[in-house]
Amino acid sequence: MRIDKFLNSVNITKRRSISQDMIENGVVLINDAVAKASKNVAVGDIITINYLNFTKKYKILQIPQTKSTPKSLQEEYVKEIS
């Protein structure tokens, strides 16, 4: 699954266009490398998002099979590690 779709489907971002803007501006990293929107994610990858005042890291536990997942099930797909 593409990184922009993944961020949207596991409710890290509200819309895919927001994910794409974040990726274009270089604030999303996969395994400490700047991500491109077409980059596919895999189980075990570490996603780092550099916001203005803080940084969040997520470890991918599963890849969702559907377009969106309920927010209550987010912990099944990603684990916030910092």
Side-chain angles (χ1 to χ4, degrees):
M1 177 177 276
R2 291 169 48 120
I3 182 66
D4 55 345
K5 288 183 179 181
F6 180 81
L7 292 174
N8 180 247
S9 67
V10 297
N11 301 305
I12 293 174
T13 59
K14 288 188 177 190
R15 289 184 297 280
R16 185 169 165 209
S17 61
I18 294 172
S19 300
Q20 290 171 330
D21 286 343
M22 292 171 70
I23 292 165
E24 286 175 16
N25 290 312
V27 299
V28 178
L29 294 89
I30 300 175
N31 298 326
D32 296 324
V34 177
K36 294 185 179 181
S38 60
K39 173 76 172 141
N40 286 328
V41 295
V43 173
D45 284 349
I46 304 293
I47 298 173
T48 305
I49 302 176
N50 296 313
Y51 294 102
L52 292 174
N53 298 324
F54 59 95
T55 299
K56 285 195 174 186
K57 287 189 176 190
Y58 299 94
K59 182 173 184 176
I60 299 174
L61 304 175
Q62 278 188 67
I63 305 296
Q65 301 299 318
T66 58
K67 184 177 177 182
S68 63
T69 58
K71 195 159 185 111
S72 61
L73 298 177
Q74 183 180 17
E75 298 85 33
E76 292 181 16
Y77 298 101
V78 292
K79 177 183 176 186
E80 189 173 336
I81 53 177
S82 69

